[in-house]
Amino acid sequence: MTDRAWFDAAKGDIPQWAASMPKDADGTTIDWDWVRSLDLAHGVGTIPESTPQSIHDALKADYATRERLESIIAQCNSAFMTDFDRFIGSYRLPRALAYANRRLNDNINTLLHLGEQQHLWAVSRERRGRATIAVLKPYSGSGPSNDDQGMLDLSGEAGGTSAGNTAAENSDVKFPTTVVLDDVQDRTAAILDARAERRKAQRFQKRAGDAAMARANLSGATSPGGAALPGGAAASGNATGHHPKPDWRDAYLPGRDVDAVMGIDIETTGIDPARDYIIDVGFEFMNMASPRPAGEPETYAYEQGYYAAGDAYGQSRLAFGVPPENAALGNALIAKLTGIDVRGRSSEAGYRLFDEWPQAQAGLLARLTQQPYVAHNATFEHSWFMLNVAGYAESYRAGRITIIDTLPMSRQWDPGAVPTNEHPYGDNTLDAYAKRQGALDSAHNERHLGLEDSHIMLVAMKHHLAALKAQGKGPWGSTGRAGVGGKSCGRKR
């Protein structure tokens, strides 16, 4: 079990956050007294009686709590990173909120499953916009009481006996005649879409303001020939060939002096660091320019027997667990993708949970800060570390962490990553990048385990950098950066 004292310390930070972050990501004023009232350590979910209406009401309450929590968590990163006066000293409150939200999400999934067992609804997982959500539909065994698909008849009086009515008919509990489904639908997709539209409007407004300022500053005297304002002309050099436009990911590109790095990859139970769990971490080290350190073991046995350690050293594989409630439900998608069956990863089976293991977090943080770390689509790892690793957010903001991403290396510097209808920005998956760079045989696929994926990523990166240097491109091209490169805060490298 985790040391519960840090939850009290996290709540002690509420005055700092309240002063700096009055509203959540959806523009709603935050009730910090409500946050203070939550039992973050022991759970914020609702445990109902096993009656249809109680299950419905518990699910409705849990959805409402999750929406409030996640809107606060979603705003914390922006508030923390733009707190230039360093009024907020620690990121432990968002980590504590995320800790509680993961258990709340487990409770929601348990309620959804319980409702299915009692034939209150059928659950389908559907992609809606920016999220995959649980969609509740009337249980097909009994059918809806009328044409209103938001209601389910549980009375057992219409249409004779059916499997859908068995629980109601054989129970002493007086079931309500209907359970409303419309007010227990997952609103995550709608919330995220609305949030994205607000951000889009804010960006448009900012660009319009910048353009107006530019016109005011460049009118007449400074632009007598009527030259186009910045951003008005098409970028040169894009008429032919593969010339991707710069984007925000380019900040993560390596510089020409990059050498010792740590490659890392994590496997998780889902894609949301505020809802899901880290279950596998793999990392290793590799020097991009200097010789491999003397004295390091020369061989390492990867799960894929055809992988050769080569220049890699310091390999490590870490396995973590999930709470019993999460393990009980299983996760077929992750089992198929990674081979990790969470049903055998319960904390009751002896597996430690990463977000309850401060020593594991401290050990990982020490490695993340001692040299640049490399990941493929590194913003994924970064977002998980922010909400799972004690001290990571503080170290990142202080400039003690440098992040390099091989995804923009693939997108910007790999001519094989040509845009297609299927891949408008080119195929930049780790699997495709590693194969193009000779780090993965075409007959095999990315393993989706932390250490194995870290290995092929670093091998691909080293091959790629060597080729770019020989061609005078990439970091050695006209737009390349000196130094280590990568993304870091508060300093230039």
Side-chain angles (χ1 to χ4, degrees):
M1 298 293 289
T2 188
D3 178 6
R4 304 295 179 178
W6 78 275
F7 292 100
D8 295 332
K11 284 189 176 182
D13 297 337
I14 285 178
Q16 304 169 16
W17 286 93
S20 301
M21 197 177 86
K23 294 186 177 182
D24 63 22
D26 299 314
T28 302
T29 299
I30 299 171
D31 183 350
W32 287 106
D33 288 333
W34 173 78
V35 176
R36 190 177 285 106
S37 72
L38 297 174
D39 187 352
L40 302 177
H42 298 98
V44 296
T46 306
I47 306 300
E49 299 176 359
S50 293
T51 64
Q53 194 62 44
S54 296
I55 295 170
H56 165 278
D57 293 347
L59 181 60
K60 182 179 179 180
D62 281 1
Y63 270 148
T65 300
R66 189 176 73 177
E67 288 176 10
R68 294 180 73 178
L69 274 177
E70 291 185 349
S71 290
I72 295 172
I73 294 169
Q75 188 63 20
C76 286
N77 181 73
S78 177
F80 187 74
M81 297 306 299
T82 58
D83 178 30
F84 302 115
D85 293 329
R86 299 297 188 261
F87 188 68
I88 305 172
S90 171
Y91 208 69
R92 60 192 160 199
L93 179 62
R95 288 195 298 106
L97 297 180
Y99 176 97
N101 196 69
R102 291 183 199 106
R103 278 74 185 167
L104 173 63
N105 197 60
D106 290 344
N107 201 64
I108 288 172
N109 287 327
T110 299
L111 291 171
L112 291 172
H113 182 64
L114 185 59
E116 282 190 297
Q117 286 184 320
Q118 294 207 11
H119 299 162
L120 308 186
W121 49 64
V123 181
S124 63
R125 303 283 174 174
E126 300 178 13
R127 187 71 183 180
R128 301 279 181 87
R130 291 167 172 80
T132 298
I133 63 172
V135 179
L136 303 190
K137 299 177 181 179
Y139 175 66
S140 60
S142 60
S145 58
N146 51 42
D147 291 337
D148 180 2
Q149 294 299 301
M151 304 292 286
L152 174 61
D153 188 351
L154 292 172
S155 65
E157 297 176 356
T161 303
S162 72
N165 296 326
T166 302
E169 293 167 350
N170 296 335
S171 174
D172 293 332
V173 178
K174 298 299 182 181
F175 290 150
T177 58
T178 57
V179 168
V180 179
L181 299 188
D182 290 341
D183 63 352
V184 285
Q185 297 292 356
D186 188 346
R187 300 191 326 121
T188 301
I191 291 171
L192 294 180
D193 287 346
R195 197 176 292 164
E197 286 300 313
R198 284 193 298 271
R199 289 197 300 266
K200 182 179 178 180
Q202 290 168 356
R203 289 194 298 269
F204 178 82
Q205 186 176 24
K206 183 180 185 303
R207 285 195 297 268
D210 291 344
M213 183 65 71
R215 284 193 296 271
N217 291 338
L218 299 176
S219 60
T222 56
S223 187
L229 293 174
S236 62
N238 285 336
T240 60
H242 175 51
H243 300 286
K245 294 180 180 179
D247 69 13
W248 58 270
R249 297 175 186 83
D250 294 352
Y252 294 87
L253 288 168
R256 63 180 65 101
D257 299 320
V258 65
D259 189 15
V261 297
M262 183 182 85
I264 189 166
D265 183 77
I266 64 174
E267 302 300 332
T268 61
T269 59
I271 63 173
D272 190 336
R275 293 186 183 182
D276 302 307
Y277 299 89
I278 294 175
I279 53 175
D280 183 75
V281 177
F283 58 83
E284 67 179 24
F285 300 83
M286 187 176 290
N287 296 352
M288 296 291 118
S290 63
R292 186 175 182 276
E296 292 287 345
E298 296 184 359
T299 60
Y300 184 86
Y302 298 92
E303 186 191 81
Q304 310 299 83
Y306 47 86
Y307 285 5
D311 295 331
Y313 59 96
Q315 295 91 340
S316 186
R317 185 195 306 277
L318 308 172
F320 301 100
V322 296
E325 297 78 9
N326 188 284
L329 295 175
N331 194 321
L333 176 63
I334 296 303
K336 181 179 179 180
L337 183 68
T338 67
I340 300 173
D341 188 344
V342 298
R343 292 176 299 179
R345 287 285 185 98
S346 170
S347 56
E348 292 180 340
Y351 281 87
R352 297 286 298 270
L353 276 66
F354 184 75
D355 65 359
E356 292 186 353
W357 198 346
Q359 292 84 2
Q361 297 169 34
L364 182 59
L365 180 62
R367 290 165 174 82
L368 292 171
T369 55
Q370 69 185 22
Q371 74 290 294
Y373 79 80
V374 182
H376 194 80
N377 190 20
T379 54
F380 180 81
E381 274 75 13
H382 173 71
S383 66
W384 285 81
F385 296 157
M386 289 286 287
L387 289 177
N388 279 273
V389 179
Y392 177 88
E394 296 85 344
S395 295
Y396 177 71
R397 189 176 69 172
R400 293 193 291 271
I401 290 175
T402 299
I403 310 169
I404 293 174
D405 194 341
T406 51
L407 189 150
M409 288 183 63
S410 173
R411 184 174 180 177
Q412 296 290 357
W413 295 339
D414 188 341
V418 293
T420 63
N421 290 335
E422 185 179 1
H423 301 285
Y425 299 100
D427 189 350
N428 299 301
T429 62
L430 176 58
D431 184 86
Y433 175 63
K435 286 176 179 175
R436 289 196 301 267
Q437 298 302 326
L440 184 62
D441 188 274
S442 60
H444 300 101
N445 295 318
E446 175 189 356
R447 176 59 184 85
H448 292 292
L449 278 180
L451 181 56
E452 280 68 25
D453 290 357
S454 296
H455 182 64
I456 62 171
M457 174 186 67
L458 288 184
V459 173
M461 178 181 175
K462 187 160 186 173
H463 290 178
H464 196 186
L465 286 175
L468 290 169
K469 185 175 183 180
Q471 299 164 9
K473 297 179 179 179
W476 295 272
S478 59
T479 59
R481 299 163 60 185
V484 172
K487 177 73 177 297
S488 59
C489 295
R491 58 177 173 167
K492 301 292 183 181
R493 297 190 61 154

